[in-house]
Amino acid sequence: MYDVIIVGAGPAGLTAAIYARRASKTVLVLEAKAWGGQIINTPDIENYPVVAHISGADFANELYNQALALGAEVKLEKVIGVEDLGKIKKVRSTLAEYEAGAVILATGSENRKLGLDREQELTGRGVSYCATCDGNFFRNKDVAVVGGGNTALEDALYLADLANKVYLIHRRDAFRGEETTVDRLRQRENVEIIYNATVTALLGEKRLSGIEVTDKITGGKRSIELKGLFVAVGRIPENESFSALIDLDQAGYAVAGENCRTKVPGVFVAGDNRTKEVRQLVTAAADGAVAATEAVKFLNA
Ligand code: NAP
């Protein structure tokens, strides 16, 4: 029996662990994959207050060590359900069952797929969802990035240093991501931005050898020969296991306000899987602090 069980060891979950431990609560963090969450794929964080530059992996490691040093327990187990038994919440993982007085759901989100034929089959054979993980395989080759958010922009910039040529394909004529990054991309000679276009087919037999791109305005199609396609079209909240417990909105985000409380007393949500306007590292950490503080208040009431 723990005071607080936190599901997810990303920036939100680990920050929650720090706050709950500093309030002297016993804390178990359960994580399905690896600690750090999606930030581990960011090569350089430049927008976290005070820290001008830090890699996502270093940020994740520092945060993890800070939570451990404060006495949080972290286990790599996938949570498959949370049950509300009133004062006690039962948390089931693929390996065990745990109980806690309060639960914080900080599961973040997973990569959205393009939904193309053979996308799964070609994943790891030219199709990738992580430029920093796989970019090195495409040194001096031609690659494309799909998407118009900060991830796509930063991926394209990162790949421009490695690849021979980078096509950045966006379905609209204006980017969702930061203008400063767009400006940097425009200055790169080996980056070609293709607006108002979508990738409509993956070409190649055993490995990706090219893509078909369709212009959304003219309907015209063109084939581009390349070795790598980096898909960066957003993320899907990982709330499936909690759909019977809490309210989810149409897009699958856990419904909760800025106090991170769900409709179930003692169940809180923090980070990218919560309904909110701004999903950033700093707001994920802020959510972790708020959710843990609310959980402590709930336990002490
Ligand atoms: P995002 O901001 O949701 O952007 C997703 C992009 O993919 C959008 O441009 C969207 O187009 C496009 N898209 C969605 N579905 C598509 C489809 N089926 N086919 C083609 N394009 C599609 O996602 P993100 O870039 O992963 O960023 C997620 C959050 O993390 C954002 O809040 C972002 O600011 C943040 N982030 C921050 C940093 C940083 O601060 N350094 C770095 C990375 C990410 P539309 O624009 O037309 O909708």
Side-chain angles (χ1 to χ4, degrees), residues 10-296:
L14 290 173
T15 304
I18 290 169
Y19 273 72
R21 280 303 300 145
R22 284 173 54 82
S24 300
K25 300 300 178 195
T26 54
V27 172
L28 171 65
V29 184
L30 294 168
E31 164 61 52
K33 294 167 196 152
W35 69 79
Q38 60 171 303
I39 200 64
I40 58 172
N41 299 321
T42 297
D44 187 19
I45 301 164
E46 291 184 333
N47 56 3
Y48 199 80
V50 175
V51 188
H53 289 278
I54 186 169
S55 74
D58 285 348
F59 183 95
N61 283 333
E62 293 283 334
L63 187 56
Y64 175 72
N65 289 332
Q66 193 178 355
L68 284 195
L70 282 164
E73 207 179 315
V74 181
K75 292 187 180 185
L76 290 182
E77 290 176 30
K78 183 175 168 55
V79 169
I80 50 175
V82 177
E83 208 180 330
D84 177 30
L85 306 176
K87 274 203 169 302
I88 290 176
K89 319 292 172 204
K90 203 170 252 190
V91 178
R92 259 180 305 120
S93 81
T94 43
L95 296 179
E97 233 175 53
Y98 304 93
E99 288 180 348
V103 172
I104 298 172
L105 308 173
T107 40
S109 54
E110 64 176 347
N111 296 315
R112 177 178 289 123
K113 312 284 185 291
L114 285 173
L116 292 173
D117 274 357
R118 302 177 58 236
E119 186 171 350
Q120 179 141 10
E121 187 189 319
L122 291 170
T123 297
R125 296 187 171 95
V127 175
S128 168
Y129 299 84
C130 178
T132 48
C133 316
D134 301 331
N136 210 27
F137 298 125
F138 299 91
R139 249 174 216 281
N140 305 317
K141 309 251 169 34
D142 290 356
V143 300
V145 176
V146 195
N150 278 320
T151 304
L153 298 179
E154 289 180 9
D155 284 0
L157 206 50
Y158 176 76
L159 290 164
D161 284 337
L162 298 171
N164 176 55
K165 167 136 191 180
V166 180
Y167 297 91
L168 174 57
I169 301 161
H170 181 36
R171 66 183 178 183
R172 290 189 295 128
D173 62 358
F175 284 106
R176 185 179 287 272
E178 282 179 22
E179 199 50 42
T180 47
T181 321
V182 179
D183 285 343
R184 276 192 229 168
L185 277 169
R186 287 195 183 112
Q187 284 160 23
R188 305 300 291 260
E189 280 183 359
N190 65 339
V191 173
E192 178 180 333
I193 301 177
I194 306 177
Y195 293 101
N196 296 312
T198 50
V199 177
T200 40
L202 303 174
L203 312 175
E205 290 298 315
K206 291 196 172 137
R207 288 195 62 83
L208 187 78
S209 62
I211 53 175
E212 177 193 79
V213 175
T214 301
D215 186 304
K216 287 185 73 183
I217 294 169
T218 65
K221 293 184 191 301
R222 94 185 238 209
S223 293
I224 300 176
E225 269 184 39
L226 42 72
K227 298 285 185 219
L229 176 68
F230 291 85
V231 180
V233 296
R235 305 187 59 88
I236 297 171
E238 295 213 58
N239 287 325
E240 260 176 41
S241 306
F242 321 122
S243 57
L245 178 74
I246 56 170
D247 286 338
L248 305 182
D249 75 1
Q250 272 193 331
Y253 290 97
V255 176
E258 290 302 311
N259 61 12
C260 297
R261 290 177 180 232
T262 68
K263 71 169 185 189
V264 180
V267 177
F268 305 86
V269 60
D272 278 10
N273 55 324
R274 176 172 81 82
T275 48
K276 57 159 132 179
E277 288 294 319
V278 182
R279 292 195 177 84
Q280 292 284 300
L281 183 55
V282 71
T283 59
D287 265 17
V290 172
T293 305
E294 290 290 327
V296 170

